[in-house]
Amino acid sequence: MGKEECKTMLDALNKVTACYRHLVIALGSTSDSQNLREELKRTRKKAQELAVANRTKLTALLKDKTISKEDRSEYERLWVLFSSSMELLEVDMKRSLELGQNFPLKVPTRHLIQTGMTGSTTTVAARAISVQNIKYEADSNIDTVDLGDLQAEISQVSQMMEEMEMKVQVAPWAVEAKQEAGAELKSSMSVGNSSVGVISICEEEPKEHESGGSRDAGFASICAVVIFFVIVTVAVVLGYLVINMS
Amino acid sequence: MTIRNTLRDYGQRYRPRMACLKKAEKVLLEMQDPKTGVKSQPQRLVITTIPHAITGEDIIAWLADRFQIDTQEARKFGSMLVALGYIYPLQDHKRLVVKPDASLYRFQTPYFWPTQQWPVEDTDYAIYLAKRNIRKKGILELHEQEQYNRLHKWMNHKWDFIVMQAKEQYRAAKERKKPDRVVFDCQERAYWVVHRPPPGTVSAMDYGLDRRVDPNADEAKTHDFYERIMIFTQQSIMRPRVKSSVSIGALVKYCATYNSHDPFLSKCLPSNPWLTDDVTYWTLNMPNVEIPTKMRVERWTFSFGELLSDPRGRDDFRLFLKKEFSGENLAFWESCEDLKWGTAATMREKAEQIYKTFLARGAPRWINIDGKTMEITVNGLKHPHRYVLDAAQTHIYMLMKKDSYGRYLKSPVFKDTLKKAICPEEHKFTDAQLDQNAKNRRPSLSPIILRQQEQEQRAKMAASATVDITQLCRFTTPVPHLAVYSGITDYPSANASPSLPFLTHTPACPSPISVALDSTSASERRAETSEGEGEGNPQTRAPIGGNVSKPRMAFSLRRLLKRGCTPSTMFASLSPKCPSAAGTSSRIQPISPDQPTQAPPRRIGNFFQIKVDIPPECRIYPIESEDEEEENRAASRSGVGAKEIICPWESLTPQNGMG
């Protein structure tokens, strides 16, 4: 159904927006690097694709005059979600442009701020683009080249948003949210197929079938412990048999 | 259609209000340089170690060295960097200062640097609060909880998005390694401490209102534009000019006089509350404090405007005038202020009240203004508006300034106040005490509560107001229930500005109408029971001017005059009710030389220019001699041709028994 598809795509866009923000926050700090710029670029591309897909879908749905009232209010809610995501994305893109210009990588004296962050953001980007491992294949001057692309993309996005506003007559303040205050504390997400799964408040790994790369360290250690006990048990059994046999 | 934030680009370009930001960024880049910057060390937490932490003393030392300044200034500079949000403290994250010890700080990531170009969005704050909610499992701090609820209410249409985004961001953050996660949490928290400060702290990013118009942009040369230029230049030509020697002389004199009173230029005793977080200075200088400070009393001697605009000074002046029995001037001035600053609905009543009390012939508190001003005022009162009494008010102001003010400054009242004035000792706080003070900061009372308190006080004072009557005619003598403007109460708002004499809004007086109402109703009740005459008429008569409350005073007065002869008995019957009346009456007695106790009845009307036709057997009796016999005789009187004081702009409606 149209609604389910929409929701899936919106969730994906939401995820990408969140990850993009994390990546932009790392810009200019000590965890900045060539890779980060490439990650930003690819996340952006993904975001663009999703945005376009969402937009076409939602505009088509909203332009349809033959839908019922509840359907229409639901689509309007989805529209508000979409436009808010796009606003965040646009701001983040503009900021990444500014930060990219202020903190170029290929200068003799790099002055990245010593913020205390030293790790890489690979995992975040992997989550965003939904791949297991990212292969970095960009050239060395990605930071300057990319900025030109970025500017073009920003203007594209702004244009798209303006078009959206013109074409679709949705009053965002009239939309009522389904979630009440404190909804983020609840353990389940009200989402369909994108199945980010059941999350609990404590730090467990989220079961996602989309992002294979997001194994938590905890999961690995639990696996290791389990395997260890299995091996110990097997060893004990074998030893007992050996002793019995001899 | 989505309402986009069209004000996004109104930052630095339009008004470089915070030019310090760009400069601070340069300094920061130098500071964080691994080779030549501040020495960094790793921060050891329970399991993890996080690099790039710096100590407060290192920061201060580096700044002092780099800019060749002393430690004190380096510390202030460092605190500014922290307050703006370029560096954040790792311990005690809510106090944005640099402590000169081993407490740790860290540099903020450029995304979170303060900038005017990217306004701080409420959406982001809502997402942050939601994330914090998840992290803290529902236990937010009080102000965060309040903000959360408020945002939930106002951004309700976006709330789904906020929840979704919060969850996603929370999960994305978990993708990173533990040390980075900790750092990121600290960074975000620090960012929001700067931009949404907890209550009791001031954000360094406050810079006032933003301009919607770019002042550097070229303006289109339309007809309007040129017209504005023409008007401006015409007004510039017409402006009255003063010789520069005069104006500069005035400026120099002002600076010299006020130099020691300015808290920026000289010491503020006992200590400046903004610097030391100690509010003694404010408590000592409250508007209605008993004993003022020496500096405050000194300011009263600078000019009359200063004296009047300070509520305590005005109280003192009022006391002095009371002793001199010329309090009506100040009372008139204050009621004019009340009229100017009051609500439009009450203006008409107030104007009439003022006229009756101060300006009419034979008014109880008649003020002395010259004929021309009186004429202008009375003419103006036909159509009362806010500034109708301006001429008279100015006249009285000048009168007070030239005459009473000089005498006040030489009077024992002032000298007494001056002697009693306190001069507080300067505070000398140690650093630890300053920290303590900062922790003990409390918000002051809400202005709503203050206003309620003021009103209660005013009502209390009004109830026990003493009457200060200047002229004594038989109609005014002991008129306790006409508790007119006594001007005793004075609890104005605390924002007196000394430079503007008429700025302070001082609704100082109880509305005479309300007081008159209270006591009048009581008196009427008593009168009715005692006399029991057919007094239905005055009560039911349609009031002049369509205002029920206003002519109540007139009613009682009219009723007494109707009876014709001994209003004093009526007054006498009233006097026991108002305990202060006896006191005032005994005080008033000596003033009027024209009140012989056993004088033969005579036409006293001409003295006060009231055309009164009083039956000859009328007597003026002192208040104390309440005579039952007289009362009975009074009851039998009928018809009097007495004319009472009514406003000239009101037409005389034909009334029974009135001439």
Side-chain angles (χ1 to χ4, degrees):
Chain A
M1 222 207 35
K3 233 189 266 184
E4 295 307 315
E5 273 180 51
C6 266
K7 286 213 183 106
T8 324
M9 291 204 295
L10 269 176
D11 286 335
L13 179 63
N14 197 28
K15 187 160 61 119
V16 171
T17 314
C19 294
Y20 190 70
R21 175 157 276 205
H22 267 281
L23 293 173
V24 176
I25 288 177
L27 257 181
S29 65
T30 34
S31 56
D32 196 359
S33 65
Q34 179 96 340
N35 291 343
L36 177 65
R37 306 293 168 111
E38 195 181 340
E39 287 161 13
L40 277 169
K41 181 169 173 165
R42 286 160 75 161
T43 317
R44 229 169 45 229
K45 285 254 169 341
K46 180 92 194 233
Q48 288 266 56
E49 291 164 21
L50 280 170
V52 171
N54 263 307
R55 184 194 56 148
T56 28
K57 191 97 188 120
L58 273 172
T59 12
L61 281 172
L62 278 168
K63 277 211 150 136
D64 188 4
K65 302 269 189 246
T66 62
I67 50 178
S68 62
K69 203 94 187 306
E70 305 86 45
D71 273 355
R72 184 158 180 102
S73 59
E74 177 62 21
Y75 290 142
E76 284 187 1
R77 192 181 75 90
L78 294 177
W79 181 260
V80 169
L81 285 176
F82 175 57
S83 55
S84 321
S85 275
M86 288 313 293
E87 278 171 18
L88 271 193
L89 255 180
E90 193 189 349
V91 171
D92 278 340
M93 289 203 317
K94 286 187 178 159
R95 292 202 80 167
S96 70
L97 175 66
E98 192 194 343
L99 288 172
Q101 284 168 340
N102 287 339
F103 293 95
L105 292 173
K106 289 287 176 275
V107 285
T109 47
R110 268 162 67 145
H111 47 250
L112 297 173
I113 308 291
Q114 313 249 320
T115 50
M117 281 206 174
T118 41
S120 75
T121 44
T122 327
T123 40
V124 181
R127 185 191 165 84
I129 13 188
S130 328
V131 296
Q132 196 88 6
N133 291 308
I134 307 185
K135 290 193 211 14
Y136 293 99
E137 55 218 6
D139 333 316
S140 56
N141 58 348
I142 183 172
D143 46 336
T144 37
V145 166
D146 190 36
L147 292 178
D149 290 341
L150 180 49
Q151 268 173 326
E153 282 177 31
I154 290 175
S155 49
Q156 239 181 347
V157 166
S158 320
Q159 220 178 5
M160 185 168 80
M161 290 185 73
E162 280 179 32
E163 274 177 36
M164 274 164 39
E165 283 170 26
M166 293 299 144
K167 281 198 194 145
V168 177
Q169 306 293 327
V170 173
W173 54 88
V175 169
E176 276 188 34
K178 277 198 182 154
Q179 318 264 16
E180 69 273 9
E184 60 271 6
L185 290 173
K186 303 219 175 23
S187 52
S188 60
M189 274 265 281
S190 62
V191 186
N193 295 349
S194 91
S195 71
V196 280
V198 178
I199 57 160
S200 53
I201 301 171
C202 17
E203 321 245 319
E204 269 186 4
E205 73 283 16
K207 298 193 202 44
E208 300 172 335
H209 67 67
E210 274 186 311
S211 56
S214 62
R215 288 282 171 253
D216 216 4
F219 187 53
S221 61
I222 288 172
C223 275
V225 167
V226 164
I227 291 169
F228 172 73
F229 275 119
V230 163
I231 293 176
V232 164
T233 324
V234 166
V236 162
V237 165
L238 282 173
Y240 178 75
L241 286 173
V242 163
I243 292 172
N244 259 359
M245 286 215 313
S246 60
Chain B
M1 193 150 113
T2 330
I3 298 248
R4 302 257 311 272
N5 186 6
T6 48
L7 300 180
R8 267 197 262 212
D9 278 334
Y10 56 83
Q12 297 267 63
R13 291 210 299 274
Y14 286 2
R15 185 163 160 180
R17 232 176 256 116
M18 300 206 86
C20 56
L21 293 181
K22 278 277 174 280
K23 298 177 187 173
E25 280 170 23
K26 284 207 201 77
V27 172
L28 202 77
L29 282 174
E30 283 181 38
M31 271 176 84
Q32 64 80 44
D33 194 296
K35 293 184 211 67
T36 58
V38 187
K39 260 196 327 253
S40 73
Q41 62 203 54
Q43 179 199 15
R44 273 172 233 292
L45 294 177
V46 180
I47 313 169
T48 48
T49 356
I50 307 175
H52 307 145
I54 46 183
T55 56
E57 49 200 8
D58 282 340
I59 296 176
I60 296 176
W62 187 90
L63 284 171
D65 184 48
R66 163 74 177 79
F67 292 106
Q68 298 297 311
I69 50 181
D70 62 329
T71 331
Q72 177 84 315
E73 196 174 341
R75 189 168 159 192
K76 290 250 156 47
F77 187 17
S79 296
M80 191 191 82
L81 286 176
V82 175
L84 284 174
Y86 287 103
I87 304 176
Y88 59 94
L90 295 173
Q91 302 122 349
D92 197 7
H93 63 276
K94 283 202 203 138
R95 279 202 62 214
L96 300 174
V97 286
V98 162
K99 293 192 219 168
D101 50 18
S103 42
L104 294 172
Y105 296 81
R106 201 177 278 134
F107 296 108
Q108 180 69 277
T109 183
Y111 184 86
F112 285 142
W113 276 357
T115 160
Q116 285 182 285
Q117 209 167 357
W118 306 107
V120 179
E121 300 269 8
D122 270 337
T123 320
D124 292 335
Y125 189 47
I127 295 174
Y128 165 70
L129 284 178
K131 275 199 285 187
R132 206 163 158 74
N133 210 9
I134 300 176
R135 182 141 179 275
K136 296 274 185 179
K137 304 190 179 35
I139 304 173
L140 288 175
E141 285 187 40
L142 188 61
H143 74 273
E144 285 177 344
Q145 189 70 46
E146 283 173 17
Q147 292 276 30
Y148 184 85
N149 294 335
R150 184 185 73 97
L151 286 169
H152 176 73
K153 181 172 166 212
W154 289 107
M155 304 195 80
N156 196 270
H157 61 284
K158 276 193 180 175
W159 202 253
D160 283 346
F161 168 71
I162 288 171
V163 168
M164 275 171 64
Q165 186 64 215
K167 285 187 185 156
E168 279 302 330
Q169 283 190 8
Y170 185 68
R171 272 185 240 130
K174 281 205 286 184
E175 294 291 333
R176 304 199 66 175
K177 298 200 190 52
K178 187 85 189 320
D180 287 347
R181 238 187 295 162
V182 173
V183 171
F184 175 68
D185 280 336
C186 287
Q187 280 175 352
E188 218 185 359
R189 184 181 62 175
Y191 176 73
W192 287 112
V193 166
V194 170
H195 292 279
R196 293 281 186 267
T201 34
V202 181
S203 170
M205 286 302 288
D206 279 337
Y207 54 80
L209 299 172
D210 288 305
R211 295 179 72 160
R212 290 171 162 273
V213 173
D214 181 3
N216 296 324
D218 288 327
E219 203 174 340
K221 306 252 188 289
T222 58
H223 171 259
D224 227 13
F225 172 71
Y226 287 116
E227 200 172 318
R228 270 189 287 134
I229 292 182
M230 281 194 335
I231 295 175
F232 176 73
T233 37
Q234 280 170 352
Q235 285 177 339
S236 311
I237 296 170
M238 288 195 312
R239 218 180 291 146
R241 283 181 289 277
V242 175
K243 275 210 294 203
S244 57
S245 59
V246 173
S247 57
I248 294 176
L251 277 172
V252 166
K253 182 165 172 223
Y254 181 88
C255 291
T257 333
Y258 282 92
N259 189 24
S260 48
H261 291 262
D262 190 305
F264 281 116
L265 298 175
S266 57
K267 268 204 277 268
C268 176
L269 299 170
S271 62
N272 194 332
W274 293 109
L275 294 176
T276 58
D277 294 318
D278 179 87
V279 294
T280 318
Y281 177 72
W282 287 333
T283 40
L284 286 179
N285 283 309
M286 299 234 298
N288 48 358
V289 74
E290 266 296 315
I291 304 177
T293 54
K294 269 216 167 32
M295 300 293 277
R296 197 173 179 179
V297 178
E298 198 185 318
R299 271 203 293 276
W300 300 346
T301 62
F302 290 162
S303 76
F304 185 52
E306 277 279 354
L307 177 67
L308 275 193
S309 56
D310 187 355
R312 183 68 184 77
R314 207 191 286 191
D315 279 346
D316 227 39
F317 190 55
R318 199 179 294 124
L319 189 65
F320 164 71
L321 289 178
K322 202 156 82 161
K323 293 215 158 85
E324 287 214 336
F325 304 111
S326 52
E328 72 274 8
N329 287 335
L330 185 61
F332 176 70
W333 186 88
E334 278 181 333
S335 48
C336 286
E337 284 289 289
D338 191 26
L339 181 70
K340 275 204 298 201
W341 294 96
T343 60
T346 56
M347 240 184 327
R348 204 176 151 70
E349 300 171 18
K350 278 192 193 154
E352 291 181 11
Q353 206 58 45
I354 293 175
Y355 177 80
K356 284 210 186 94
T357 319
F358 295 101
L359 298 169
R361 297 176 290 186
R365 305 183 80 186
W366 189 73
I367 52 164
N368 192 0
I369 48 182
D370 62 310
K372 188 150 190 305
T373 320
M374 179 64 99
E375 202 182 301
I376 300 171
T377 313
V378 169
N379 282 338
L381 276 170
K382 291 198 180 72
H383 303 280
H385 59 90
R386 215 173 271 279
Y387 303 103
V388 65
L389 297 169
D390 234 14
Q393 186 183 12
T394 319
H395 182 97
I396 290 292
Y397 181 84
M398 293 318 236
L399 197 67
M400 285 197 289
K401 180 169 158 178
K402 293 199 172 93
D403 186 25
S404 318
Y405 181 55
R407 277 185 282 127
Y408 165 73
L409 289 179
K410 301 194 191 80
S411 70
V413 173
F414 179 68
K415 291 208 167 64
D416 195 35
T417 313
L418 188 56
K419 201 159 42 147
K420 281 210 277 234
I422 50 177
C423 194
E425 282 288 318
E426 193 190 343
H427 280 147
K428 295 229 192 302
F429 286 122
T430 62
D431 277 347
Q433 280 172 318
L434 285 176
D435 277 354
Q436 192 67 29
N437 289 345
K439 285 204 186 78
N440 291 340
R441 273 192 289 208
R442 295 279 170 272
S444 55
L445 289 176
S446 135
I448 302 175
I449 299 181
L450 281 174
R451 214 176 307 140
Q452 281 173 357
Q453 281 180 350
E454 267 178 52
Q455 281 168 353
E456 283 165 27
Q457 292 278 25
R458 225 180 292 147
K460 222 187 328 163
M461 292 301 282
S464 64
T466 55
V467 184
D468 172 23
I469 295 179
T470 51
Q471 293 196 113
L472 288 175
C473 56
R474 46 187 269 144
F475 313 114
T476 64
T477 316
V479 192
H481 70 290
L482 299 179
V484 294
Y485 199 120
S486 63
I488 292 279
T489 65
D490 204 38
Y491 290 87
S493 46
N495 48 353
S497 110
S499 49
L500 300 160
F502 299 129
L503 192 59
T504 320
H505 172 38
T506 51
C509 63
S511 168
I513 302 163
S514 55
V515 180
L517 256 183
D518 294 341
S519 25
T520 311
S521 43
S523 66
E524 277 177 359
R525 258 180 273 126
R526 169 80 187 267
E528 280 161 15
T529 51
S530 61
E531 262 81 34
E533 261 195 347
E535 293 296 339
N537 258 347
Q539 266 85 326
T540 55
R541 183 175 313 138
I544 303 170
N547 194 338
V548 180
S549 55
K550 166 189 70 71
R552 280 294 196 95
M553 187 172 95
F555 276 155
S556 42
L557 193 52
R558 215 179 301 144
R559 209 161 4 94
L560 332 164
L561 297 175
K562 263 195 73 169
R563 218 151 294 118
C565 47
T566 48
S568 53
T569 58
M570 169 58 101
F571 297 146
S573 69
L574 297 173
S575 63
K577 248 193 293 312
C578 293
S580 51
T584 54
S585 51
S586 57
R587 185 175 63 85
I588 288 168
Q589 288 289 19
I591 295 172
S592 162
D594 305 300
Q595 204 173 11
T597 51
Q598 302 294 330
R602 58 192 174 97
R603 307 280 305 257
I604 59 160
N606 291 333
F607 187 89
F608 292 98
Q609 298 170 357
I610 303 175
K611 305 265 182 296
V612 189
D613 192 6
I614 307 164
E617 51 273 54
C618 265
R619 288 167 160 267
I620 306 171
Y621 288 90
I623 309 151
E624 284 80 7
S625 67
E626 185 169 30
D627 211 334
E628 291 300 324
E629 184 193 2
E630 287 300 325
E631 225 174 301
N632 289 336
R633 205 164 2 122
S636 60
R637 299 278 175 209
S638 65
V640 67
K643 180 168 185 253
E644 60 149 46
I645 307 165
I646 57 174
C647 306
W649 59 89
E650 285 165 1
S651 54
L652 278 177
T653 59
Q655 296 153 13
N656 302 340
M658 303 296 280

